[in-house]
């Protein structure tokens, strides 16, 4: 099955000079009866300027009602100033929605924190390294990211149990790879030294205090300068 994947903190930009098949920005796909494509999370991503749909969610073995990938805190922007579209292909048909329409049609999957607008990249002209996908001042992506999970119960110390630890890594023992850093609500950032995915437990490199339900944000100093991370 293709389940429980977590896709977050990415920038997907589609070139608009294609003359052939127009491509989607982000594409989940299942055409096989023996595979489940569901229960995936897509958070804090910018998907902009794809020639076809910005998001295409396909599982032809399921009905539209039972397709339940979760979308939160994403910024969508259509190509050439056109409205962003979200396409679902399911058993028996397909539907194309605007962002506001898909929020109304599938509110359990599309959170209110998904927004539409020009991300105001510094430069999208030229090829390769000529492009600069940093955000200009005034970008709607600034401070618009969401938390990735929440705290299970109140406490303090260096052992933090969260609703879903699958968003984070501790470096996995790979030389040169550091563990992730997080912020718990508005507290100071703290590093992760160990993740137990079975018990959803994070071991922190410094003591912190938290309340039940506190929000846990992914932290990077260049992308979290205000009250929330940038998308």
């Amino acid at each position: 099955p293709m389940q429980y994947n977590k896709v977050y903190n990415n920038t997907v930009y589609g070139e608009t000079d294609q003359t052939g098949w127009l491509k989607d920005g982000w594409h989940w796909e299942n055409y096989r009866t023996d595979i489940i494509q569901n229960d995936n999370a897509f958070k804090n991503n910018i998907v902009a300027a794809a020639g076809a749909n910005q998001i295409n969610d396909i599982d032809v073995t399921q009905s539209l009602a039972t397709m339940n990938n979760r979308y939160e805190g994403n910024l969508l922007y259509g190509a050439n100033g056109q409205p962003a579209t979200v396409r679902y292909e399911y058993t028996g048909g397909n539907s194309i929605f605007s962002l506001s329409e898909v929020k109304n049609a599938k509110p359990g999957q599309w959170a209110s924190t998904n927004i539409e607008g020009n991300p105001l990249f510094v430069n999208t002209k030229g090829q390769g390294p000529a492009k600069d996908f940093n955000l200009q001042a005034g970008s709607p992506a600034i401070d618009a990211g969401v938390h990735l999970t929440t705290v299970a119960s109140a406490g303090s110390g260096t052992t933090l149990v969260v609703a879903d630890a699958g968003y984070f890594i501790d470096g996995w023992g790979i030389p040169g790879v550091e563990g992730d850093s997080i912020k718990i609500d508005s507290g100071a950032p703290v590093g992760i030294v160990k993740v137990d995915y079975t018990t959803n437990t994070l071991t922190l490199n410094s003591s912190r205090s938290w309340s039940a339900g506190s929000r846990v944000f992914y932290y990077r100093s260049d992308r979290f300068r205000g009250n929330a991370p940038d998308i």
Side-chain angles (χ1 to χ4, degrees), residues 180-216:
D180 289 333
S181 293
I182 59 173
K183 276 175 68 79
I184 306 169
D185 282 335
S186 59
V190 63
I192 296 172
V193 295
K194 183 179 179 181
V195 180
D196 187 324
Y197 298 106
T198 302
T199 62
N200 288 308
T201 301
L202 308 179
T203 301
L204 311 177
N205 66 4
S206 183
S207 181
R208 294 291 184 273
S209 298
W210 52 82
S211 302
S214 288
R215 300 166 299 166
V216 181

Side-chain angles (χ1 to χ4, degrees), residues 47-132:
V47 187
N53 309 284
Q54 302 312 305
I55 303 288
N56 196 351
D57 199 326
I58 301 172
D59 193 330
V60 299
T61 71
Q62 296 197 66
S63 67
L64 178 61
T66 58
M67 296 174 70
N68 67 344
N69 291 324
R70 178 69 176 170
Y71 300 87
E72 297 181 32
N74 301 293
L75 173 61
L76 307 185
Y77 184 57
N80 301 314
Q82 297 299 306
T85 56
V86 175
R87 181 178 183 268
Y88 276 87
E89 185 172 344
Y90 45 89
T91 180
N94 64 82
S95 297
I96 296 178
F97 302 94
S98 67
L99 180 57
S100 61
E101 288 171 342
V102 80
K103 286 181 180 180
N104 290 329
K106 293 183 71 65
Q109 286 68 55
W110 283 86
S112 61
T113 51
N114 294 288
I115 58 177
E116 182 171 359
N118 187 338
L120 297 179
F121 296 128
V122 170
N123 178 50
T124 58
K125 305 296 183 183
Q127 297 297 317
K131 289 181 167 61
D132 185 344

Side-chain angles (χ1 to χ4, degrees), residues 151 153-157 159-160 208-212:
V151 171
S153 59
S156 62
T159 302
L160 175 66
R208 294 291 184 273
S209 298
W210 52 82
S211 302

